[in-house]
Amino acid sequence: MTSTSEPFEAPGTSTGVPGAPPPQLVRSPLSDGEWHRLHPLTPLLRGGLFLIVVIGIVFANLRDRLVFIFLPWLAPDIEDEVGEWEGAEGDPIDFIIANNLYVLAGLAVLGVLIVLVAVFYTSWRFHTFRITDDDVEVRSGILFRTQRRAPLDRVQGVNLTRPMIARLLGMAKLEVVGAGADANVKLEYLSTANAEAVRADILRLASGRRLGMTSGTAAPRPVGRAAMLSQTVGREITGLIEGPEAPVAELESVVHIPVGRLVASHILSMSTLGLLVAVVAIVIGVSQGVTWLLFGFVPAIIGYGAYWLRSIVRSLRYAIAPTPDGVRITFGLFTTITEIVPPGRVHAVEVTQPILWRPAGWWTVRINRLTGRSVADSSTDQFTTALPVGTAADVERVLRLLQPALPDGERALVVQQGMFGPGEGDTFTNTPKRAWWIRPLSYRRNGFRLTGDVLLMRRGVVWRKLVILPLARLQSLGLYQGPLDRASGVTNVRAHVVTGPVSPFLAAVDRDSALELFDDVARGAVREALADRTHRWAQEATDAAAVAPAGSTAADDAGDVPSRFGPSTSEPPVAVVERASAGERDDTRRASEGTPSEEDRT
């Protein structure tokens, strides 16, 4: 195994390592299929900062005593407390002062620091990773070894996080999002340049590209460590003021959120109204002598204010743009997070408008996707908001990125009828009037529409919501009917997708329409799943170009490959599935009606 320290490593060429990626597909020397170590300053960020905080707390508590020991002339009035220190029993610090054991205590502290530094260094030496043409592997642990592997064909996204301290040092944390709970593989930390190059290599390999894709950029000249650190700190301080630098060869954001709109969107919320009601209740209660309200609600108000400010800061410098490997979403002021969601990784999209945002015409877009994190992880929410606040035009631009296969006509229908409907010429199947009492406010808006490859669910009046479900990502569809629903001839529809903030649920749907929808979704989901190739989103073009005959282009032959992004000639198997599904339904209907099938009659 060859291990080298990152980032002070000369770019390599083809190494001939088994499973190594093709050298034409990778730009970073860390993507050569061999084992590498993380940045040498990784122990400082992972454990050193915690140690510095502990030392700071100790020094703050022992400030007076340390001044008396090392700088007694700066605090002449402190001698009166020395007698109390020496008379105290059971305090090790007082025992050291009383017995003049300063040298021995200093040696003990130095020994502890040496042990901690040795542990950090050994942990860094044993923490290695490698990138092959099939997966990303990480090995860690000293006594108990752990090895994690993320298959490239199951990558749900690659996140690049730059905390403030790491950002000043020119370092970043790379997280490969896997398909499962606690399935992410983290590379923390790499230099920012290497992290961006490694992220591009992982996405390029995960896309299925197998043709030579060379990069015209030359390897940077190695510079001294001190000069590199000085340049990095200066550049990142400038970046905190002017904003992070834009990634090379990537388009600008299609949506720009003004700071005033972002702040106003947080003020115009139901939680803010609840906060105002709590403040008024506290004022009235304290004026009437009920002082316990002050101690009970003030900490909650302070906590909400901190959460409110953190949400605004985290949404600053929001940007969303298309890339060859998916949708790039960037946000954050001090801690910058950049995530790339490859095609086909979005399982559900929800467009929501609270009633307080309606005069301003603002909407928010959230998605369900596999984040590779546990449900208890509070940082999951920041990876499920595709648009914090935007206009209808912003929503249409974001939907164009999240659902590129949706035709322009259907996308216009989503905005006109799905978001603002119902209106004249409404094509949604809505709740029947006989069931108005189940949804008395929203029964006119409550409805669904099935297109060629997506299922639309529209509901709500106080909170207008539109759910967009790609059939290729749909897990199942369920119909639920209670006794009151049965009496009204309606049923409830729930689509099952991966866990997230989007809840694809629709109540009070006509029973016969729901049964027809159930059959249509079953056929559509099978058809779209057969035609879906987004797990290797670039493999079709490369394969078509590799086998293209002379005088033809890859685009001419790409239409023969089943794809959501172009024509498909996979009708025969789909037709077979549809005929099989129709036959199964006929047999089920005969069984329920008591009519014998062909086999029974034979």
Side-chain angles (χ1 to χ4, degrees):
M1 179 186 72
T2 303
S3 298
T4 55
S5 298
E6 192 274 334
F8 313 106
E9 179 180 7
T13 58
S14 180
T15 58
V17 179
Q24 298 88 354
L25 289 180
V26 296
R27 296 184 300 177
S28 172
L30 304 178
S31 306
D32 56 1
E34 298 194 12
W35 293 97
H36 298 275
R37 295 191 181 94
L38 301 172
H39 196 284
L41 295 181
T42 295
L44 175 64
L45 293 175
R46 299 188 65 182
L49 294 180
F50 172 77
L51 181 61
I52 292 175
V53 171
V54 172
I55 294 175
I57 294 175
V58 172
F59 272 75
N61 293 330
L62 302 178
R63 178 186 55 190
D64 295 338
R65 302 186 185 189
L66 294 175
V67 170
F68 170 73
I69 296 172
F70 297 102
L71 304 172
W73 61 87
L74 295 181
D77 299 335
I78 207 173
E79 296 181 359
D80 298 336
E81 302 180 8
V82 176
E84 300 179 3
W85 298 346
E86 294 178 353
E89 297 181 359
D91 192 336
I93 303 298
D94 297 333
F95 178 80
I96 293 173
I97 296 176
N99 294 276
N100 197 21
L101 300 176
Y102 303 136
V103 176
L104 183 60
L107 292 176
V109 173
L110 181 61
V112 172
L113 290 177
I114 292 175
V115 171
L116 291 177
V117 170
V119 170
F120 289 155
Y121 175 76
T122 306
S123 176
W124 171 76
R125 293 279 300 180
F126 278 80
H127 198 137
T128 57
F129 73 95
R130 73 173 178 179
I131 300 173
T132 67
D133 58 350
D134 292 324
D135 47 42
V136 180
E137 297 182 59
V138 175
R139 298 191 304 193
S140 60
I142 302 175
L143 299 179
F144 301 94
R145 299 287 289 166
T146 301
Q147 183 165 348
R148 302 179 69 97
R149 175 179 299 176
L152 293 178
D153 59 348
R154 294 294 181 266
V155 169
Q156 304 298 311
V158 183
N159 303 327
L160 186 64
T161 305
R162 303 172 65 195
M164 184 175 181
I165 302 300
R167 182 176 176 182
L168 292 175
L169 298 176
M171 299 166 60
K173 176 173 62 176
L174 197 68
E175 185 175 12
V176 182
V177 181
D182 197 22
N184 292 2
V185 172
K186 300 179 181 180
L187 304 179
E188 48 181 348
Y189 289 81
L190 302 172
S191 68
T192 302
N194 277 336
E196 292 177 352
V198 168
R199 178 179 64 177
D201 293 343
I202 292 174
L203 289 171
R204 187 177 293 110
L205 294 171
S207 68
R209 292 186 179 96
R210 286 298 179 265
L211 296 182
M213 296 181 61
T214 58
S215 175
T217 59
R221 287 181 53 187
V223 296
R225 300 188 183 187
M228 180 185 299
L229 183 60
S230 176
Q231 296 173 3
T232 300
V233 173
R235 183 179 65 250
E236 296 302 333
I237 291 178
T238 304
L240 289 176
I241 302 175
E242 300 178 355
E245 64 279 3
V248 179
E250 291 185 356
L251 300 178
E252 295 183 357
S253 175
V254 300
V255 175
H256 299 278
I257 303 177
V259 178
R261 181 197 298 175
L262 186 61
V263 175
S265 66
H266 284 76
I267 295 176
L268 297 175
S269 61
M270 291 297 182
S271 56
T272 303
L273 291 180
L275 179 64
L276 294 177
V277 171
V279 171
V280 172
I282 291 174
V283 172
I284 296 176
V286 172
S287 63
Q288 298 296 326
V290 186
T291 57
W292 63 268
L293 289 175
L294 187 64
F295 299 98
F297 285 95
V298 167
I301 293 176
I302 295 176
Y304 174 80
Y307 170 78
W308 191 76
L309 292 176
R310 186 170 61 251
S311 300
I312 294 177
V313 171
R314 187 166 43 186
S315 301
L316 290 175
R317 293 177 181 169
Y318 164 86
I320 182 170
T323 70
D325 295 309
V327 181
R328 171 177 58 87
I329 303 177
T330 304
F331 52 89
L333 179 61
F334 301 111
T335 298
T336 303
I337 299 176
T338 302
E339 56 174 336
I340 293 183
V341 183
R345 269 57 176 182
V346 177
H347 292 248
V349 181
E350 182 181 69
V351 184
T352 307
Q353 184 186 57
I355 191 171
L356 295 179
W357 288 9
R358 194 166 302 171
W362 295 339
W363 302 78
T364 183
V365 178
R366 298 184 299 177
I367 61 175
N368 279 10
R369 53 171 290 223
L370 292 173
T371 60
R373 299 170 180 264
S374 61
V375 178
D377 192 346
S378 60
S379 62
T380 303
D381 292 339
Q382 63 188 2
F383 297 104
T384 56
T385 302
L387 178 64
V389 56
T391 62
D394 296 335
V395 172
E396 188 173 2
R397 297 188 192 100
V398 172
L399 292 181
R400 191 180 300 274
L401 299 181
L402 298 178
Q403 298 295 324
L406 198 64
D408 292 338
E410 295 291 343
R411 191 176 294 108
L413 181 144
V414 168
V415 175
Q416 296 171 4
Q417 299 185 8
M419 295 169 55
F420 296 102
E424 295 183 2
D426 188 24
T427 58
F428 278 68
T429 302
N430 300 320
T431 298
K433 292 184 178 180
R434 63 177 181 274
W436 68 269
W437 57 275
I438 299 179
R439 290 290 187 270
L441 298 179
S442 61
Y443 78 95
R444 291 186 179 90
R445 177 177 167 80
N446 203 59
F448 68 88
R449 189 181 193 278
L450 181 64
T451 66
D453 54 358
V454 297
L455 173 62
L456 306 177
M457 290 184 173
R458 182 185 65 189
R459 70 179 190 272
V461 173
V462 179
W463 281 275
R464 287 179 175 176
K465 293 186 178 182
L466 173 67
V467 178
I468 305 172
L469 302 171
L471 295 182
R473 306 271 81 83
L474 193 63
Q475 304 297 314
S476 64
L477 186 73
L479 304 180
Y480 306 90
Q481 189 181 56
L484 298 180
D485 298 327
R486 191 177 302 112
S488 300
V490 295
T491 185
N492 303 319
V493 179
R494 179 179 295 277
H496 303 125
V497 294
V498 299
T499 304
V502 180
S503 178
F505 174 79
L506 199 61
V509 178
D510 181 72
R511 182 185 58 189
D512 296 335
S513 300
L515 292 174
E516 184 178 355
L517 174 67
F518 187 87
D519 293 338
D520 295 339
V521 167
R523 293 195 301 269
V526 173
R527 180 181 65 250
E528 291 300 315
L530 290 175
D532 181 64
R533 296 294 183 273
T534 53
H535 63 289
R536 290 290 194 182
W537 61 91
Q539 190 169 10
E540 299 173 12
T542 56
D543 291 346
V547 301
S552 63
T553 61
D556 297 332
D557 296 334
D560 295 336
V561 185
S563 172
R564 298 182 64 208
F565 303 99
S568 174
T569 58
S570 57
E571 290 302 322
V574 175
V576 171
V577 173
E578 292 181 352
R579 286 196 296 270
S581 302
E584 294 175 358
R585 291 197 307 273
D586 292 341
D587 291 343
T588 304
R589 188 180 298 108
R590 294 189 190 99
S592 61
E593 297 175 355
T595 305
S597 62
E598 293 293 340
E599 296 181 358
D600 296 335
R601 285 196 293 267
T602 302

